[in-house]
Amino acid sequence: MSPDPAQTAQPAPAPAAGAALPQGVSALEELILTRLDDDQAQDVVFIDLKGKTAMADGLVVASGRSHRHVGAIADHLLRSLKDHGYGRARVEGLPHCDWVLIDAGDVIVHIFRPEVRAFYNIEKIWSVDSPGHRTPT
């Protein structure tokens, strides 16, 4: 028997430019996804974590084309967060710009160079059902 889809956190591509955001998306999530789209982040994935972990309500994974692009995306996102009243975001990895992590409280954003993203493959961590949630066969 396969796992119940309601119990498995499935990564979903972020909405395309101009597309309506899914119902229940918070203002913070919308701000982040819009900013990433404006900065032409690639392969943006939003993973809804509501009710699955106390760590955050959402996880966003995106790629930049180069070190410079990753750094620019992160810098612009941090500025937008501050301008909209979310100025307490914590950031890691900005000097090297291989993998920048931005903890905006309810949403955690990972911005990678494509090679680094492929190596760590963090989307897989959240798309696989944990052993404690598997349905007996």
Side-chain angles (χ1 to χ4, degrees):
M1 183 183 283
S2 60
D4 179 5
Q7 292 180 347
T8 305
Q10 293 295 325
L21 292 168
Q23 188 174 8
V25 171
S26 71
L28 175 59
E29 293 164 350
E30 182 176 358
L31 171 68
I32 291 168
L33 294 173
T34 301
R35 182 75 253 174
L36 292 174
D37 184 55
D38 290 348
D39 287 336
Q40 298 178 359
Q42 300 176 334
D43 302 320
V44 178
V45 174
F46 175 77
I47 302 170
D48 186 7
L49 300 177
K50 292 177 188 86
K52 295 174 179 64
T53 179
M55 175 181 66
D57 288 341
L59 181 73
V60 177
V61 183
S63 296
R65 295 181 299 272
S66 64
H67 294 279
R68 184 173 281 184
H69 190 214
V70 168
I73 291 168
D75 183 56
H76 293 164
L77 180 56
L78 287 166
R79 287 183 194 183
S80 287
L81 290 169
K82 185 174 181 179
D83 290 347
H84 288 85
Y86 302 102
R88 296 183 354 192
R90 295 177 182 237
V91 63
E92 295 288 333
L94 203 50
H96 301 291
C97 296
D98 281 328
W99 176 1
V100 177
L101 180 139
I102 299 172
D103 182 349
D106 289 339
V107 180
I108 298 172
V109 182
H110 297 270
I111 308 166
F112 291 97
R113 281 190 313 105
E115 308 81 42
V116 178
R117 182 176 180 171
F119 179 79
Y120 287 103
N121 195 13
I122 66 169
E123 293 101 321
K124 185 177 180 182
I125 294 170
W126 293 102
S127 66
V128 176
D129 203 12
S130 68
H133 287 26
R134 289 200 179 146
T135 314
T137 54

